Amino acid sequence: MSAKRVTFGSKLGVILATVGCAVGLGNIWRFPYMVGSNGGAAFLLVYILCILFLGLPVMMSELFIGKTTHRNTAGSFKELAPGTKWKYIGYNGVLAAFLILGFYSVVSGWTLEYVFQALTGSLKGKSVADFTNDFAAFSSGVWRPIFWTALFVIATHVIIICGVDKGIERASKVMMPVLFIILIALCIRSLTLPNALVGLDFLLRPQLDKINSSVILSAMGQAFFSLSIGMGCLITYASYFGKDVNIQQTAVEVAALDTLVAILAGVMIFPAAFSFGIEPTSGASLVFITLPNVFEQMPFGSLWSFVFFVLLALAALTSVISLHEVVTAYVLEEYQTSRKKAALFVSVGIFLLGIICSLSVGAVKGLSFFGMPLFDLFDYVTAKIMLPLGGMFICIFVGTHIQKRILKEAMTNNGTVRFYFFNTYVFFVKYIASVAIGLIFINELGWVDYICALL
Ligand code: PFF
């Protein structure tokens, strides 16, 4: 099977597609409001530590699994550990991708609404109250959000059926450079506003007393979500890597670029928000209420809003493609069907889930479980439970099930590239990453407090 499988056509294609998978709403929508509501720079510090010590080992392990097996997420575990229960890590990944797509495609749809509003000039002349009320009315409405979600799913569908090299790789090669250019232009605009330094200070000067267990779990969840790890997305993409792709280098480059984009998103948002006297703690609505409000107060406001929401839509699209591919590759290979049929099945599924998630935001009150609308529940369950658990088990799997010799051969392309920190990597995968993820997770579930209370 591996001989016939398509691969990405070039090294640049590998990097841009993988960065496209990692960089998304997580960097530009989720990261800033996480920083805003978790104490600013203190969160950023913990976040970077999570990327370095937990994210990178998990990422390399996923790339190893995908590149070695050339199979989809579930299939790769079946191949490396036939007849065992390890395949459930793969199923966890496919399910997580599907659930993330439920709310992610809805938020992606919102970005299109705002592109449209900026284009038609409807964001002009609104007060803060107007922005807040209009966002609430729009997101809790029935038809408009569903319409934009449908459009987003159709765009993704078209790219997916064009295939790995002609669809995913080609789209990433166009969209990622555009995304970087827009992001840098917006950072420069934000940094040249009066009072910009206050916002930078909030983002970059940590107050260590703000770090607590909830900040740590949120930072870990965000790191996993942002790097797209713990659920086999990178396993799927790495299954399309050619023989000469260097796993360590790819992991370091993707993690570095992803973190850079998140920090740049902070540099774009916080100085602008502080400059206009807006508190950064407004949560998930930060980029949909606060930012258009900030942009519209600047000269050529609608132009900046337009550029910003195009940026958000592009980032979202490259990630939605990668999530879609996780499920499509699974259906295509495990049920031996054509790419077109698999993609159609997945697209219809995402759209239906998207409708339910969208309606749960307000239009239909009953769509909540455990006190959370399905939209928030899927976000919580995937980022805070399924991804960290997936990451932990991937580390345990690679640490206990894969022979060190095989791991080293794969990491060094059969001895042709060096891996100076190989033993450190193995140590982190075996002992640090899995244990740390487990502890942070248990702590957040409240078990540590519970045990302490019993003692
Ligand atoms: N990493 C993406 C983001 O930051 O928006 C979200 C994501 C994509 C998560 C793909 C998981 C995934 F498999």
Side-chain angles (χ1 to χ4, degrees), residues 21-27 97 100 104 224-229 231 233 258 319 322-323 326 387:
C21 154
V23 168
L25 293 174
N27 303 62
I100 293 175
Y104 205 94
F224 276 61
F225 187 83
S226 189
L227 292 179
S228 307
I229 53 177
M231 36 107 17
C233 206
D258 185 69
S319 292
S322 68
L323 287 159
V326 172
L387 269 49

